[in-house]
Amino acid sequence: MIRSALLATTAMFLLTACTGSAPDTKEAASAEKPAATFAAVDDNRIKTASAGEEWLSYGGTYDEQRHSTLTQINKENVGELGVAWSYDLATNRGVESTPIVVDGVMYVTSAWSIVYALDAKTGEELWVHEPDVDRSMAIKACCDVVNRGVAVYDGKVFVGVIDGRLQALDAKTGKLEWSVVTVDQDKPYTITGAPRVVDGKVLIGNGGAELGVRGYVSAYDTDTGKKVWRFYTVPNPNKQPDGEASDDAFVKVGNVSWGDTGKWTTEGGGGTVWDSIVYDEVNDRVIFGVGNGSPWNWERRDPSGKDNLFLSSIVAVDADTGEYAWHFQTTPGDTWDYTATQTIILADLPLGENGASRRVAMQAPKNGFFYVIDAGTGEFIHAKNFVPQNWAEGLDESGRPIVTAEARDQSVPHFQTPGPLGAHNWHPMAFSPELNLAYIPAQELPQAYVVDPLAESSPTKWNTGVDFAAGIPTEFTPEIRKMVRSTLKGRLIAWDPIKNEERWAVEHNNAWNGGVLSTAGGLVFQGQLEGEFAAYDAATGEKLWASDVRSGAASGPGTFMIDGEQYVTITTGWGSAYALSAGYAYDQKVESTVGKVVTFKVGGEKELPPVQMVQRDLTPKAASFGTAEQIQSGLVHYSRNCMVCHGPFVQSSGVLPDLRWSEYSGDKELWDEVLHDGALQENGMVSFADVLSDEEMENVRAYVLNQAHSDVNTN
Ligand code: CA
């Protein structure tokens, strides 16, 4: 009761504060309808929050710096942090959500786009919204059925649902207010990103470039769900207008950057806007990051050899109309899955003439270079690689990469870094405006790129045109495992975007580590997928505190203050692209651990529940069989169809079943029921009869059982 009264008071105070400010025409227009009395977030509140007592949008504020002005938790007392409360998200799939905190309520999402409203002080559950997703659509999700969070605005909570819907919920009750389908659901689109809200419009993109879609970002009216504008990132295949905001951009710069033939004309071309969308309040523009091409392979996608705008680009459009303003392409002619969807941070840095302040956009995309560009014009200021890379000799004066011949030529495998999981992926980067340092969750995950010789003759749901079986031996020995493992690295890098150089770095045990939170308490917080959540001295990288959260700590942490007490929070879970696809990267068998929200405060004394270890029978369920040719065929088709979810070398990290020990792989009849007939489609394991012949299915089983009897299992 006390909490409810407090919430009401806080909301009323904020409403009064907002009405008290000089109303512009936009506020006057919205005054026609009754204002929200709960979670009354508007543009002004997001602008002035400065990520202080509340956490009002995905990146904290519109600039998305993930920097909090709170100082109560600082270098002196961070060592006393303990768990204040935890909440069980009851999922064994990936969790990537950044909690939003408004009026003492935390809004957080879990796998399958489920939304939770919790009392931010106690963790008490207030409501849960289950969007009822058909689980068989998991096959469309390249990188697990994850969700990175909600937006809260004008009394509503907005969530992008994995199946392509955008929903508005009543912030107080969780009741569905409206729901719109934002994609063609017959195509392999997904939504994993957090919506952003500005000036009565909710912005949402989508994913699916690994499977063949045409990307775009859309703005919907927050009241009605009516579409306001849409910006496509790839031209209409006939290069004719779509009747959308992007038409003008393609006439001006886009169409000439594509040829007239190639897979892009039938498969959409990719360019999905699956993560970063920021609002530049100074220029009243929306700036978003665009993903890779579809298929990945450039020659198959567009044999003309052109740059393919707006793939792998940062694009700015007018916030009201979606009209094109500028673009900067990080990777022209992308052929390596080098998305530019990674965190975009806006800041004012002394990079103008004679050290004058200049408004910039910063990004550390998958391609391994840290870019600083002018936020008003898109002009390149400078960039430098933040990890070792071997695909470009460097950048020219305009920031265009000088690509090496070895990286371009995909007729022979090129062991390249970064690989398709990127030097930086979705894990949110942070920036301290006090120290002028950006904090990058960086990694080294190399991969051999070579064109898939079966791309034309043998279809696959995973449509990249790149041979995932290249360089993978049918015999997976402990020595090979050790060698592969040694190539996987992760580190937290403090990057000076003014001097264009690294300030400090902390080496981690593995890749795919957490997003970063920066605070005015002189701290940066970052988790690791293996479960450690730690605080570092923001100026030096010295580790000051760590806690085992007993699950993967990969998402973006947040902080907030209630009743004079500061909290730090993170969502945890075991899954997302790396845990699905890199089981061999774990020295010990990792069990699937259940996702949680874990919230800390100074002096917190709660114990996290122990990890539920599942005892599994690690014995092959049948003898190995098959000729060398059959096993090699099985390896090829496993790699093309099964690997990204069940892991290379048939090594699962515990999110999805390890096929080596499965009852299904031990029995041909059961195997066919699943692979051919789709008996487990309710779990997302749909029929593969459209892409695999009966013989190929049996060859995959031969390969799986061969791996079950491999040497590597005894070590
Ligand atoms: Ca991709």
Side-chain angles (χ1 to χ4, degrees):
M1 290 304 284
I2 292 166
R3 187 187 54 79
S4 309
L6 178 76
L7 294 187
T9 318
T10 316
M12 280 172 63
F13 167 75
L14 285 154
L15 271 177
T16 317
C18 293
T19 343
S21 66
D24 62 14
T25 50
K26 286 163 188 171
E27 281 173 9
S30 66
E32 289 162 14
K33 65 180 183 60
T37 54
F38 192 85
V41 177
D42 63 8
D43 301 55
N44 204 45
R45 192 166 160 192
I46 297 174
K47 279 176 194 170
T48 54
S50 301
E53 301 209 347
E54 302 184 295
W55 193 277
L56 293 177
S57 64
Y58 182 69
T61 64
Y62 279 134
D63 285 353
E64 305 229 353
Q65 295 180 350
R66 288 182 180 263
H67 176 81
S68 169
T69 52
L70 297 179
T71 56
Q72 193 184 77
I73 296 171
N74 53 48
K75 288 188 231 184
E76 278 65 51
N77 63 8
V78 68
E80 298 159 37
L81 278 190
V83 176
W85 58 264
S86 73
Y87 176 82
D88 194 344
L89 293 168
T91 181
N92 64 342
R93 303 298 292 261
V95 174
E96 300 184 352
S97 174
T98 297
I100 303 294
V101 178
V102 180
D103 295 346
V105 179
M106 176 184 289
Y107 301 94
V108 67
T109 60
S110 179
W112 299 109
S113 330
I114 299 170
V115 185
Y116 298 83
L118 310 173
D119 183 316
K121 188 173 175 175
T122 65
E124 180 201 347
E125 181 185 297
L126 304 176
W127 53 258
V128 180
H129 172 72
E130 158 64 80
D132 293 321
V133 173
D134 174 356
R135 276 13 184 195
S136 71
M137 67 75 53
I139 193 70
K140 296 180 183 177
C142 71
C143 310
D144 206 354
V145 289
V146 293
N147 186 282
R148 282 183 291 281
V150 299
V152 177
Y153 190 85
D154 192 26
K156 296 184 195 65
V157 175
F158 300 92
V159 61
V161 181
I162 186 89
D163 61 14
R165 286 174 291 165
L166 176 67
Q167 298 192 319
L169 316 174
D170 183 310
K172 191 169 189 179
T173 64
K175 187 176 139 287
L176 184 66
E177 296 214 342
W178 55 255
S179 180
V180 290
V181 177
T182 71
V183 301
D184 177 348
Q185 289 180 310
D186 291 333
K187 297 204 166 105
Y189 284 105
T190 49
I191 299 179
T192 58
R196 314 299 207 276
V197 182
V198 60
D199 189 23
K201 289 178 287 294
V202 54
L203 303 156
I204 192 73
N206 46 56
E210 271 57 62
L211 295 88
V213 298
R214 181 183 178 207
Y216 53 87
V217 59
S218 316
Y220 292 85
D221 185 292
T222 52
D223 279 338
T224 63
K226 192 169 172 289
K227 192 180 90 188
V228 182
W229 56 256
R230 173 164 295 170
F231 191 98
Y232 281 100
T233 58
V234 169
N236 187 313
N238 57 23
K239 297 188 180 173
Q240 295 302 304
D242 292 294
E244 300 287 3
S246 39
D247 287 352
D248 176 54
F250 289 113
V251 171
K252 275 184 185 156
V253 292
N255 283 341
V256 296
S257 74
W258 292 82
D260 293 325
T261 60
K263 290 287 173 190
W264 81 273
T265 61
T266 53
E267 292 173 11
T272 48
V273 182
W274 57 261
D275 195 48
S276 58
I277 303 172
V278 299
Y279 174 60
D280 175 6
E281 60 192 76
V282 171
N283 297 296
D284 195 23
R285 287 184 189 138
V286 172
I287 304 177
F288 54 88
V290 183
N292 56 280
S294 180
W296 289 0
N297 185 273
W298 189 34
E299 287 171 45
R300 295 191 70 240
R301 186 173 71 241
D302 178 6
S304 76
K306 296 182 175 181
D307 286 354
N308 295 172
L309 292 173
F310 296 95
L311 299 184
S312 304
S313 301
I314 299 168
V315 180
V317 302
D318 183 274
D320 291 325
T321 63
E323 190 190 339
Y324 168 82
W326 56 257
H327 75 275
F328 176 81
Q329 189 171 38
T330 57
T331 309
D334 169 51
T335 192
W336 312 280
D337 189 16
Y338 284 171
T339 66
T341 51
Q342 282 57 48
T343 318
I344 296 171
I345 291 178
L346 303 176
D348 299 301
L349 297 181
L351 285 168
E353 271 185 50
N354 302 319
S357 180
R358 190 170 185 184
R359 188 159 175 79
V360 304
M362 294 178 274
Q363 190 188 50
K366 275 190 185 178
N367 78 13
F369 287 82
F370 187 100
Y371 294 85
V372 181
I373 62 177
D374 187 295
T377 62
E379 187 191 338
F380 174 73
I381 297 173
H382 55 226
K384 191 178 175 186
N385 59 307
F386 59 92
V387 293
Q389 61 81 27
N390 66 352
W391 69 279
E393 285 164 28
L395 307 178
D396 72 13
E397 281 190 358
S398 68
R400 186 184 178 89
I402 303 154
V403 179
T404 65
E406 294 76 19
R408 253 312 160 215
D409 176 14
Q410 298 207 344
S411 62
V412 288
H414 180 240
F415 195 65
Q416 190 164 312
T417 180
L421 287 173
H424 172 213
N425 205 291
W426 60 269
H427 314 90
M429 178 171 86
F431 173 76
S432 166
E434 290 158 22
L435 300 175
N436 278 339
L437 289 177
Y439 301 97
I440 317 164
Q443 56 191 11
E444 291 177 47
L445 291 167
Q447 179 163 316
Y449 291 91
V450 65
V451 74
D452 181 358
L454 300 179
E456 289 299 331
S457 59
S458 175
T460 159
K461 293 186 203 284
W462 189 266
N463 183 22
T464 65
V466 170
D467 182 7
F468 282 4
I472 296 188
T474 50
E475 289 290 333
F476 188 48
T477 64
E479 292 70 36
I480 294 173
R481 184 185 175 284
K482 209 172 154 191
M483 186 274 289
V484 175
R485 175 66 184 84
S486 72
T487 65
L488 313 174
K489 295 172 186 164
R491 66 186 64 97
L492 172 62
I493 297 174
W495 189 264
D496 182 335
I498 300 167
K499 290 188 177 157
N500 199 27
E501 64 185 24
E502 179 183 300
R503 180 73 62 83
W504 55 257
V506 174
E507 201 69 21
H508 296 324
N509 180 50
N510 208 329
W512 209 260
N513 299 297
V516 187
L517 164 70
S518 159
T519 79
L523 301 169
V524 285
F525 290 85
Q526 189 199 24
Q528 297 186 33
L529 192 59
E530 292 170 335
E532 181 187 272
F533 183 47
Y536 303 87
D537 184 320
T540 65
E542 184 193 347
K543 189 191 279 188
L544 301 174
W545 167 82
S547 173
D548 178 5
V549 293
R550 299 180 176 173
S551 188
S555 50
T559 187
F560 56 93
M561 188 174 258
I562 296 179
D563 295 346
E565 200 160 27
Q566 186 183 354
Y567 298 80
V568 172
T569 189
I570 186 167
T571 61
T572 70
W574 183 243
S576 90
Y578 190 66
L580 281 180
S581 66
Y584 63 94
Y586 293 90
D587 301 331
Q588 292 173 327
K589 182 49 67 187
V590 181
E591 296 294 342
S592 182
T593 51
V594 176
K596 286 187 175 50
V597 183
V598 185
T599 300
F600 295 87
K601 66 174 183 179
V602 171
E605 288 181 340
K606 288 264 162 42
E607 282 285 315
L608 286 176
V611 175
Q612 299 291 315
M613 298 298 281
V614 182
Q615 288 302 317
R616 293 182 301 172
D617 178 10
L618 305 185
T619 49
K621 300 298 184 290
S624 58
F625 69 95
T627 63
E629 288 74 30
Q630 274 180 301
I631 292 167
Q632 176 61 32
S633 159
L635 160 68
V636 167
H637 291 288
Y638 177 88
S639 301
R640 301 174 82 237
N641 293 288
C642 321
M643 186 176 90
V644 292
C645 289
H646 291 280
F649 317 105
V650 205
Q651 300 256 314
S652 162
S653 65
V655 182
L656 294 185
D658 193 314
L659 301 181
R660 290 173 298 176
W661 327 121
S662 155
E663 299 292 338
Y664 296 97
S665 56
D667 183 314
K668 177 169 166 43
E669 212 166 293
L670 289 176
W671 185 255
D672 288 345
E673 278 174 20
V674 175
L675 242 72
H676 189 278
D677 305 339
L680 296 179
Q681 75 160 16
E682 279 170 19
N683 301 353
M685 177 60 205
V686 298
S687 165
F688 277 69
D690 57 334
V691 291
L692 289 174
S693 69
D694 292 358
E695 191 187 341
E696 286 161 353
M697 287 181 194
E698 188 62 356
N699 291 348
V700 170
R701 194 169 80 89
Y703 171 62
V704 166
L705 281 173
N706 195 58
Q707 294 302 88
H709 289 274
S710 146
D711 266 5
V712 78
N713 304 317
T714 57
N715 282 265

